[in-house]
Amino acid sequence: MGITFLLNGETVTVQDAPATLTLLSWLREEQMLCGTKEGCNEGDCGACSVVVQDETGTKALNACILFMPQLDGKSVRTVEGFSAPDGSLHPVQQALVDHHGSQCGFCTPGFTASMVAAHTNGARDFDDQLAGNLCRCTGYAPIIRAAEAAATIPIPDWLSATSATKTADLMSAASKEADAAQPGSSDALALAYSVAPDATLIAGATDVGLWVTKQLRDLDPVIFLNKCDDLREVSITDSDLTFGAMVTMTTLRDVIAPYHPSFAEMLRRFASTQIRNAATLGGNIANGSPIGDAPPALIALGAQLHLRCGDTRRVLPLENYFIEYGKQDRLPGEFVEKISIPRQTDRLKVYKISKRFDQDISAVLGAFNISLQDGIISDARIAFGGMAGTPKRASNVEKSLIGQPWNMNSIQAADAQWQADYTPMSDMRASADYRLDCARNLLHRYFLEDSGINTSVLEVSA
């Protein structure tokens, strides 16, 4: 397929590139732009970070798991393209020099890309913005100081997001002829997928990318969803919050925050900025992972999953989509179209337990949504990831709570029911006993927080 995009301000066209050729490989091997580094090759270290602009804004993304067809109609800048035509450095580049933000320099191009994207967007939460960039020798303090120093300096004219996006929009309109491998709408996707139900659907590629870079799998045939703009739609009504399957985790976090802030806070720890900018809600659900972070929270909220196969649509409770490990209720040629969450009073708390605070896979993720009426538990929806072969509700614990007074005696009486709901495994992230203890303790934590007691270690002070 033909791919046209801006690379450091210049139009490039790539013909007949393999569908799963990564931007990182193309930059280093075909363009000899070797500033973008290969580190982990799985989207963890950030050494390959680049800046991508399109009609949705400016983003830092991992080039190592970004396939070339995903760039059609966009603007890409690498570390070689951040300075001005006359050689003047971008403010974050100059700040990194002034604040001694580099030693060996291997990670510096990726840090620079993330900092340029943050600077363009006016983002000041630097600990979050740079959580997806790892440095082993400089230390993060001078890098953060550099980001802070550059924050108040205006965006350089040569990197104006508006002009770059306008150019990308023109290119996108010119190159938007849809084909079976890159349909331009959900209708076109439904047709293409019904014809080739064995195709691999590629949305953000934050999971599928590793199938190529780590497992060396041949994914042919593939269907890219990046041009299905209607799958990025968000709808808010009096009854529901509805998210298209291509809504990114970044967008989900922004939209959900006013309604369920604990969900949004958990999403702050979902991988990294680069991954959240690419990963999609539909992908996080469709792959059926037992440790996907979004499904437990969505199940606790009573989310409905909207599936489509050709012209046929069906809706089912999200919890029913997960049948067993590696098996989901999805027919050949059927795809996730959207996810809807009933509007409700916020009673949701989401707790992610992992060895690292940032950018780590959950050992246990618990979501609690317990409703009260006159001090009595009227409803309880509790869902966990990492406790079974699928995201799963704690149905026995729920039953033991409903109808009981909301107090510690009721919480403790439910402790014995956890083993009836879950038989977790032991692995490198946690033992089975640890997982069960976590589940019990998290229900206690939910009650304490609901009683006004602060339990967050992030809020503890001397």
Side-chain angles (χ1 to χ4, degrees), residues 111-388:
F111 270 99
T112 304
S114 292
M115 292 165 71
V116 166
H119 183 267
T120 301
N121 292 325
R124 304 288 184 91
D125 53 337
F126 300 120
D127 286 349
D128 289 343
Q129 295 295 321
L130 299 178
N133 294 84
L134 305 184
C135 178
R136 291 177 173 84
C137 56
T138 303
Y140 294 94
I143 297 172
I144 295 294
R145 286 196 289 268
E148 292 171 342
T152 58
I153 302 174
I155 301 170
D157 292 339
W158 69 88
L159 273 186
S160 167
T162 302
S163 62
T165 302
K166 284 182 177 178
T167 306
D169 285 345
L170 292 174
M171 294 165 50
S172 181
S175 63
K176 207 148 188 169
E177 294 112 4
D179 58 31
Q182 235 177 354
S185 68
S186 58
D187 288 342
L189 167 61
L191 176 60
Y193 200 27
S194 64
V195 172
D198 59 335
T200 299
L201 300 186
I202 300 178
T206 55
D207 189 17
V208 173
L210 275 66
W211 300 357
V212 174
T213 63
K214 293 300 181 180
Q215 300 177 16
L216 307 180
R217 288 166 56 178
D218 180 6
L219 303 185
D220 190 61
V222 297
I223 299 176
F224 287 91
L225 311 189
N226 53 287
K227 290 187 178 181
C228 297
D229 291 340
D230 55 337
L231 292 181
R232 293 190 178 90
E233 294 176 356
V234 176
S235 172
I236 300 175
T237 67
D238 291 340
S239 60
D240 296 283
L241 306 174
T242 302
F243 300 89
M246 284 291 288
V247 166
T248 66
M249 291 299 173
T250 296
T251 299
L252 174 64
R253 180 188 170 198
D254 291 342
V255 174
I256 206 73
Y259 303 97
H260 301 291
S262 181
F263 192 178
E265 175 61 17
M266 182 276 289
L267 291 172
R268 182 168 73 92
R269 299 176 55 200
F270 183 103
S272 64
T273 297
Q274 294 95 314
I275 295 296
R276 290 193 297 271
N277 285 339
T280 65
L281 179 57
N284 195 240
I285 292 169
N287 68 10
S289 171
I291 49 174
D293 282 344
L298 294 169
I299 290 171
L301 289 171
Q304 299 285 306
L305 188 65
H306 300 249
L307 297 167
R308 178 175 181 180
C309 183
D311 293 329
T312 301
R313 291 177 169 90
R314 64 187 177 110
V315 182
L316 71 158
L318 177 58
E319 63 209 73
N320 294 348
Y321 173 73
F322 305 101
I323 299 173
E324 59 186 46
Y325 181 76
K327 184 178 181 181
Q328 298 85 46
D329 183 3
R330 187 162 61 88
L331 303 172
E334 189 172 43
F335 62 93
V336 176
E337 189 170 35
K338 57 188 176 181
I339 301 93
S340 59
I341 303 170
R343 292 282 295 270
Q344 58 199 273
T345 301
D346 181 42
R347 294 283 301 167
L348 179 72
K349 289 291 185 180
V350 186
Y351 304 114
K352 178 182 172 79
I353 307 299
S354 57
K355 292 185 177 181
R356 298 194 308 264
F357 181 84
D358 290 303
Q359 202 178 353
D360 201 1
I361 295 172
S362 295
V364 174
L365 189 139
F368 298 81
N369 187 13
I370 298 176
S371 301
L372 307 178
Q373 187 171 356
D374 298 326
I376 302 299
I377 302 168
S378 57
D379 191 24
R381 295 184 65 90
I382 301 171
F384 271 81
M387 294 285 285

Side-chain angles (χ1 to χ4, degrees), residues 26-35 80:
W26 182 80
L27 288 172
R28 295 181 61 85
E29 297 170 13
E30 302 295 332
Q31 299 298 301
M32 301 307 293
L33 293 174
C34 296
E80 292 89 350

